[in-house]
């Protein structure tokens, strides 16, 4: 049952990305271009995401455990460190330059294969650099 729910959740998320055009880098870059030809349509997408997230927290606060797990897995760290700031900045710069974040970036492999291959290669390279750097620092 867990695998079915996970699949359906991913499918719903992917459909939401496609319907909202978050998979179209032109729309995303238009949203990020505040001083140019700004496209405010993604404000509604973000509003919907925040609303769903808030409903999730209300449900979590009212239930002692989730339906399909033994306990809630909620992040407990509240500190803001240099890794969080650096990672967030890198994500934002990458999103702003390419118009893709990891989920929609995978769809580029079918929608725009040339860009998709470059994006996925950069994603893998960045992940490998992080893994190498993190492993080196923890050794």
């Amino acid at each position: 049952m867990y695998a079915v729910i996970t699949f359906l959740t991913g499918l719903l998320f992917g459909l939401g990305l496609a319907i909202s055009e978050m998979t179209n880098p032109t729309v995303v870059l238009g949203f990020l271009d505040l001083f140019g030809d700004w496209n405010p349509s993604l404000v509604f997408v973000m509003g919907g995401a925040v609303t769903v997230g808030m409903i999730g927290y209300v449900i979590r606060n009212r239930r002692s455990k989730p339906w399909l797990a033994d306990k809630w897995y909620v992040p407990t760290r509240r500190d803001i460190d240099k890794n969080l700031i650096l990672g967030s900045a890198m994500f934002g710069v990458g999103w702003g330059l390419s118009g893709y974040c990891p989920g929609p970036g995978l769809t580029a492999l079918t929608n725009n294969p040339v860009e998709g291959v470059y994006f996925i290669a950069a994603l893998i390279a960045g992940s490998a650099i992080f893994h190498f750097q993190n492993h080196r620092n923890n050794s």
Side-chain angles (χ1 to χ4, degrees), residues 70-85:
D70 294 329
K71 67 176 188 168
W72 293 105
Y73 293 93
V74 179
T76 57
R77 285 188 61 177
R78 301 219 183 257
D79 59 317
I80 298 175
D81 63 358
K82 67 176 179 152
N83 289 339
L84 177 63
I85 293 171

Side-chain angles (χ1 to χ4, degrees), residues 59 63 65-69 72:
I59 291 170
R63 294 184 53 84
K65 68 179 194 116
W67 289 299
L68 299 174
W72 293 105

Side-chain angles (χ1 to χ4, degrees), residues 54-123:
M54 290 173 69
I55 291 169
Y57 271 95
V58 168
I59 291 170
R60 182 190 66 100
N61 289 335
R62 291 188 178 172
R63 294 184 53 84
S64 60
K65 68 179 194 116
W67 289 299
L68 299 174
D70 294 329
K71 67 176 188 168
W72 293 105
Y73 293 93
V74 179
T76 57
R77 285 188 61 177
R78 301 219 183 257
D79 59 317
I80 298 175
D81 63 358
K82 67 176 179 152
N83 289 339
L84 177 63
I85 293 171
L86 183 62
S88 300
M90 290 173 62
F91 176 89
V93 168
W95 192 41
L97 289 173
S98 69
Y100 292 116
C101 64
L106 290 173
T107 66
L109 291 172
T110 58
N111 298 344
N112 190 347
V114 174
E115 277 186 17
V117 167
Y118 287 128
F119 178 81
I120 298 302
L123 183 68

Side-chain angles (χ1 to χ4, degrees), residues 32-54:
L32 296 173
D33 188 7
L34 297 176
F35 302 109
D37 190 20
W38 186 54
N39 178 355
S41 63
L42 295 185
V43 168
F44 299 104
V45 175
M46 289 186 187
V50 168
T51 301
V52 169
M54 290 173 69

